[in-house]
Amino acid sequence: MTAVERAAVPVDAALLPALRRRTTAVLVASQILGGLGVATGIALSVVLAREVSGTEALSGLAPTATVAGTAVLSIPMAALMTARGRRPGLVLAYLVGALGACGVVVAARAGNYPLMLCGMAAFGAASSANLQARFAAADLAEPQRRARAISHVVWATTIGAVLGPNIAAPAGRSVTGLGLGIPATAGPFLWAAGIFVVAAVLVAVLLRPDPLLTARALAPPEERSPQARSLRAGLTAVAASPRARLALVTVAVSHTAMVSVMSMTPLDLTHHGASVDLIGLVISGHIAGMYAFAPLMRRLADRVGRLSVVGLAAGLLAVALFVAGTAGGSHGQTAAGLFVLGLGWSAGLVSGSALLTDAVPQSARAAAQGLSDLTMNTSAGFGGAIAGLIVAQASYAWLNVAAAVLLVPLAALVLFTRIGSRSRNADGAGTAGGAAADSPPGVRRS
């Protein structure tokens, strides 16, 4: 046991229900703030990038830089959390995000596009904190309630994330009267920096005792070995489990399809005469689809199984890409497509995150979860970079076609995993066994 773990406050098992509620409340509050800061800044990032770079072909690199920053920071965050717990990792990520937001403002003021991309990459640290918070909620949850714990934290992001795009315009107007030469499209990042600092302070003060360290203290002795918690052990645990591999593919494909299309939608809407306020409403609807229905996705994941909801995610994403890709100049159809795109992302994230947590041992979870975020954000980073080129060289419709191609291997992998589960259970329990194989440990299906 490390010195950090020995210093942790012991928790009696009888006090766990109260601790779970407290931990969830703190994470919910931080998610509201984190979602507000990220959504406020990111809403106009593509438009700001076009203004600073002077070309649409490079505009897609702004959200790509954010996603890339999120990916790059996933591994050091996972290493820090593995060594010292969730709290230090989340605090550091929010503070780096605040620093990045300030960097974007400085770059916009100076008209320096490379500096802006660096700022956007650091800004992505806050997104990494928001993503890791869902796993922190699952640290102390009972096996049959992990999807529920994850969905509560994901849902909480709705409040801030839906408000964010709608306050982007007022945030922009608030800086134009300061006489500092800050473009209106950079104003939201100034607000985001302050919001991230508040979130960091909240987590630093109130997320005690640390949920990950507490879960380890309550784990069986054989799962407390530091060697079992290394990043290599996390990779080994994922490689050894077909369900963990499916979980990684699920969150990667869902996130890549969502980021690629969502990041270029504001630009497509401006091509069809949409105002900044209308763009904010469309993105707000999209974000509502992402987060507001997380409890529904959790209920489905617990009742009908993780694999079934992964399949639902693929179906929703396919519908969304068809609707958005054929919208043309119809703002209403674009909004509908983006809303369903958010639903598909929510189904993929909740079911994939719960499936990964179920599939790997407790000792390797923090490392495996960091690997999951690295995978999903790296793939989404590539998708976002290519998205700008596809729109510049072809069209927004072709971008949706390209995103739809990603769904084919996901659907095939879901099918193969389900067939494998049924085959392994056929001798013991027939159809009921196959259904149980789709459930988290500890859940009895009827």
Side-chain angles (χ1 to χ4, degrees):
M1 184 177 293
T2 67
V4 173
E5 289 167 334
R6 285 194 297 269
V9 178
V11 176
D12 191 295
L15 302 177
L16 269 178
L19 179 57
R20 290 185 184 116
R21 290 192 294 270
R22 174 185 169 85
T23 299
T24 300
V26 175
L27 292 172
V28 163
S30 69
Q31 283 294 93
I32 292 173
L33 292 170
L36 178 62
V38 170
T40 300
I42 209 69
L44 298 179
S45 62
V46 173
V47 179
L48 175 61
R50 184 181 60 179
E51 291 179 0
V52 176
S53 68
T55 173
E56 288 186 359
L58 295 178
S59 61
L61 291 180
T64 297
T66 301
V67 175
T70 305
V72 169
L73 286 163
S74 295
I75 288 299
M77 268 189 67
L80 178 59
M81 290 182 180
T82 297
R84 304 190 65 84
R86 299 290 187 189
R87 187 173 64 253
L90 294 176
V91 170
L92 179 62
Y94 280 128
L95 292 179
V96 172
L99 183 63
C102 292
V104 171
V105 175
V106 172
R109 171 67 177 81
N112 189 321
Y113 189 61
L115 179 59
M116 177 189 169
L117 293 182
C118 292
M120 292 297 298
F123 181 83
S127 292
S128 187
N130 285 352
L131 290 170
Q132 284 288 329
R134 75 190 191 277
F135 290 127
D139 284 335
L140 297 174
E142 298 165 295
Q144 67 272 24
R145 294 181 178 269
R146 285 178 186 141
R148 180 177 184 177
I150 291 170
S151 72
H152 281 164
V153 174
V154 173
W155 175 87
T157 313
T158 308
I159 301 172
V162 172
L163 283 175
N166 289 294
I167 67 172
R173 290 191 291 267
S174 71
V175 302
T176 56
L178 298 178
L180 300 176
I182 300 175
T185 46
F189 286 93
L190 193 60
W191 283 35
I195 293 169
F196 292 153
V197 170
V198 174
V201 171
L202 177 72
V203 171
V205 173
L206 297 181
L207 193 62
R208 298 173 184 272
D210 189 282
L212 180 58
L213 299 184
T214 302
R216 285 181 185 163
L218 295 172
E222 63 270 16
E223 295 187 1
R224 300 180 189 176
S225 168
Q227 290 74 23
R229 300 197 295 267
S230 67
L231 294 178
R232 178 176 294 181
L235 179 60
T236 301
V238 171
S241 170
R243 286 172 174 264
R245 296 196 297 270
L246 172 60
L248 255 66
V249 173
T250 298
V251 296
V253 168
S254 300
H255 200 54
T256 302
M258 185 277 292
V259 168
S260 301
V261 174
M262 182 273 290
S263 64
M264 300 309 297
T265 298
L267 198 59
D268 182 68
L269 288 171
T270 59
H271 288 163
H272 293 99
S275 65
V276 171
D277 290 330
L278 178 58
I279 292 172
L281 288 174
V282 172
I283 299 301
S284 290
H286 166 69
I287 293 172
M290 289 174 65
Y291 299 117
F293 293 86
L296 173 62
M297 300 307 172
R298 177 271 304 173
R299 186 177 294 273
L300 290 174
D302 284 344
R303 293 200 174 190
V304 305
R306 317 299 201 216
L307 297 183
S308 298
V309 181
V310 171
L312 174 64
L316 288 171
L317 290 170
V319 171
L321 296 172
F322 175 79
V323 173
T326 58
S330 172
H331 297 158
Q333 185 172 335
T334 299
L338 265 288
F339 174 74
V340 179
L341 184 70
L343 287 178
W345 178 89
S346 180
L349 188 75
V350 170
S351 60
S353 299
L355 186 63
L356 179 66
T357 304
D358 293 340
V360 298
Q362 193 281 331
S363 57
R365 277 178 197 156
Q369 290 157 354
L371 177 64
S372 171
D373 283 354
L374 172 66
T375 302
M376 67 184 281
N377 286 296
T378 300
S379 58
F382 283 115
I386 296 172
L389 296 175
I390 293 175
V391 171
Q393 299 299 321
S395 67
Y396 179 73
W398 277 108
L399 172 61
N400 283 270
V401 172
V405 173
L406 299 175
L407 302 178
V408 177
L410 173 60
L413 191 54
V414 172
L415 180 62
F416 292 149
T417 303
R418 183 178 288 278
I419 291 174
S421 296
R422 288 177 176 173
S423 298
R424 286 190 297 271
N425 288 276
D427 293 337
T431 304
D438 196 15
S439 303
V443 177
R444 298 183 63 183
R445 300 281 302 266
S446 58

